[in-house]
Amino acid sequence: MKPNFSLRLRVFNLNCWDIPYLSKHRADRLKRLGDFLNLESFDLALLQEVWSEQDFQYLRQKLSLTYPDAHYFRSGIIGSGLCVFSRHPIQEIIQHVYTLNGYPYMVYHGDWFCGKAVGLLVLHLNGLVLNAYVTHLHAEYSRQKDIYRAHRVVQAWELAQFIHHTSKSADVVLLCGDLNMHPKDLGCCLLKEWTGLRDAYVETQDFKGSEDGCTMVPKNCYVSQQDLGPFPLGIRIDYVLYKAVSGFYIYCKTLKTTTGCDPHNGTPLSDHEALMATLYVKHSPPQEDPCPAPGPAERSALTSVLREAWTELGLGIAQARWWASFTGYVIVLGLFLLVSLCVLAAEEGAREVAILLWTPNVGLVLGAGAVYIFHMQEAKGLCRAQTELQHVLRREKATQGLDSEPHPAPLLTAGGGQS
């Protein structure tokens, strides 16, 4: 590869809000999205919330000449909603489905049924190896009472670990997606501190778009003030993140967002704003290290965010244990009532009442059993992530010469003890 090597990479990212039967003007928005992508001819278009595989096939056919390669990431019951269109041949594809993704009984939220995931595609561009990741994390439905905070922190940690372990042979790492986190949120900081990814909005030389880079704005007719919560000016939850490895240097020359409307005819493409980044990859000068070893300040910031994440997962474990214990008591009570109903059914006078109460009581026991099993699994998943964080914390503290370390939380078992 020539020393003066330079590569331009144009990237498009959008949460498409493509929910069959629910999203407004879905067919029209998809058509205009396809027209726009064909017109702009990006190197990569990474999309989220394409919940219909038929819609993906429609886009694939429409974009086939401009983007010869494409992939749809399948998972869960509804699907991950992730897909990618590429002007360059995709060499490898892999995906990871997040361990925790909300609660199945919160049907009206629906995240659990989606199988939220991260997809990876590997491209070879003029001898350069590019690892491009696309993801969509669990939604935040309430800023004040966020019951999914621990799940989103676990997802951010799994995402960071997935990138960390799959990008060791890559020259450039690119992550696009809807993280459903504000820039200063714990999960977002954990992801960036652990992977070293840089934020295109912060790093770009030329930004044009919505104020503060917000990707959900009140000007968008599909966004309500309730969606924005305590942020009436908008929120930034969609990202283009990147870093270079092994002797390369990457920078964002331009970053653009839509501003509540389609770039051409005024109607929004989605309830989210699109991100359009122009990145340049070059060889690093011999005297420069594109990935310098973290100094004391960087290590201190990493340790701090690891501590906070460890504490947050501890709170999540306590909550999961409480629910497991509660439903365990409900199961015991339900079984006791079933035995009592069996005794009553043997008596002539109470047989009809016992038979009448039998079915709802069986439903109660089965429902409580399902919730008990789910929260047992949730506690195990949280404990696993917390143990990994503890290991990293121990290693970081050893590097910094610190002595203290948190004690691991005991894993939840059927009896509430350790396993």
Side-chain angles (χ1 to χ4, degrees):
M1 193 177 293
K2 296 180 180 180
N4 60 352
F5 169 85
S6 179
L7 173 71
R8 187 185 74 161
L9 187 65
R10 296 185 66 234
V11 179
F12 178 89
N13 177 78
L14 177 65
N15 178 320
C16 297
W17 191 47
D18 176 24
I19 310 173
Y21 311 112
L22 295 178
S23 298
K24 298 178 181 179
H25 313 132
R26 183 169 60 96
D28 175 64
R29 290 189 292 107
L30 276 179
K31 177 182 180 301
R32 289 187 289 107
L33 173 61
D35 292 337
F36 178 72
L37 291 178
N38 273 328
L39 179 65
E40 290 291 329
S41 188
F42 295 94
D43 291 287
L44 280 171
L46 303 112
L47 308 179
Q48 306 92 52
E49 284 203 12
V50 181
W51 299 120
S52 167
E53 194 163 344
Q54 289 182 339
D55 289 342
F56 166 74
Q57 295 298 342
Y58 165 78
L59 284 174
R60 184 171 193 170
Q61 183 177 7
K62 189 178 182 67
L63 301 173
S64 59
L65 295 180
T66 310
Y67 304 87
D69 222 343
H71 184 74
Y72 187 77
F73 294 93
R74 298 168 178 84
S75 67
I77 298 173
I78 301 173
S80 70
L82 305 174
C83 62
V84 61
F85 298 89
S86 173
R87 283 205 305 120
H88 311 279
I90 299 174
Q91 304 298 325
E92 300 176 41
I93 296 171
I94 191 172
Q95 77 179 77
H96 168 74
V97 180
Y98 297 122
T99 304
L100 300 178
N101 189 40
Y103 305 110
Y105 48 81
M106 303 291 263
V107 179
Y108 55 95
H109 287 165
D111 292 73
W112 185 84
F113 300 92
C114 301
K116 295 286 180 68
V118 51
L120 161 65
L121 52 147
V122 179
L123 290 82
H124 295 171
L125 307 176
N126 298 331
L128 178 145
V129 179
L130 168 67
N131 274 25
Y133 301 83
V134 58
T135 193
H136 186 193
L137 303 192
H138 198 294
E140 180 188 78
Y141 294 96
S142 172
R143 191 73 177 172
Q144 291 75 24
K145 190 177 181 181
D146 184 7
I147 62 174
Y148 301 113
R149 179 177 162 90
H151 284 212
R152 205 157 42 251
V153 171
V154 169
Q155 288 182 346
W157 175 246
E158 288 187 12
L159 173 59
Q161 286 282 69
F162 184 73
I163 293 173
H164 176 74
H165 289 290
T166 59
S167 63
K168 292 182 179 179
S169 60
D171 299 310
V172 172
V173 176
L174 173 70
L175 169 64
C176 295
D178 176 3
L179 300 185
N180 274 312
M181 296 184 291
H182 298 215
K184 298 298 183 182
D185 283 357
L186 173 59
C188 201
C189 294
L190 179 64
L191 171 65
K192 289 187 283 190
E193 288 290 343
W194 184 236
T195 61
L197 291 169
R198 292 149 53 197
D199 189 339
Y201 172 71
V202 176
E203 301 284 337
T204 186
Q205 299 176 0
D206 179 21
F207 173 76
K208 295 178 181 178
S210 53
E211 186 176 354
D212 295 328
C214 292
T215 54
M216 290 192 76
V217 297
K219 291 181 181 179
N220 189 309
C221 64
Y222 299 127
V223 176
S224 67
Q225 288 301 316
Q226 185 177 0
D227 294 330
L228 298 179
F231 302 95
L233 299 180
I235 57 178
R236 184 162 79 93
I237 57 176
D238 303 87
Y239 297 84
V240 173
L241 305 174
Y242 57 82
K243 72 173 181 178
V245 198
S246 63
F248 288 92
Y249 172 71
I250 183 171
Y251 65 96
C252 181
K253 185 173 184 179
T254 64
L255 178 68
K256 299 179 182 178
T257 74
T258 50
T259 55
C261 59
D262 179 281
H264 297 299
N265 75 348
T267 309
L269 290 173
S270 170
D271 61 342
H272 288 238
E273 303 308 313
L275 291 167
M276 293 158 278
T278 301
L279 308 173
Y280 279 86
V281 183
K282 297 183 178 182
H283 268 300
S284 295
Q287 68 275 15
E288 290 188 16
D289 184 358
C291 297
E298 289 81 4
R299 287 197 173 276
S300 176
L302 174 60
T303 301
S304 177
V305 74
L306 287 170
R307 278 181 181 276
E308 189 176 351
W310 188 92
T311 302
E312 181 63 38
L313 296 190
L315 296 174
I317 292 169
Q319 185 73 6
R321 285 175 172 168
W322 186 92
W323 277 108
S325 298
F326 175 77
T327 50
Y329 289 129
V330 172
I331 292 169
V332 172
L333 177 61
L335 291 174
F336 175 78
L337 290 176
L338 283 177
V339 173
S340 301
L341 291 174
C342 288
V343 174
L344 288 174
E347 301 178 6
E348 287 291 333
R351 179 173 299 174
E352 292 182 359
V353 175
I355 294 174
L356 186 65
L357 295 176
W358 176 268
T359 300
N361 200 71
V362 169
L364 175 66
V365 171
L366 293 177
V371 175
Y372 174 80
I373 291 172
F374 173 80
H375 284 292
M376 286 279 291
Q377 181 189 32
E378 178 192 21
K380 292 288 187 182
L382 289 167
C383 284
R384 176 194 56 77
Q386 192 187 49
T387 302
E388 292 177 3
L389 285 168
Q390 177 191 323
H391 175 76
V392 176
L393 262 173
R394 184 186 297 118
R395 191 181 66 186
E396 286 297 313
K397 289 176 179 179
T399 302
Q400 298 177 45
L402 301 178
D403 299 324
S404 60
E405 69 177 59
H407 298 286
L411 297 179
L412 180 66
T413 65
Q418 294 185 4
S419 63

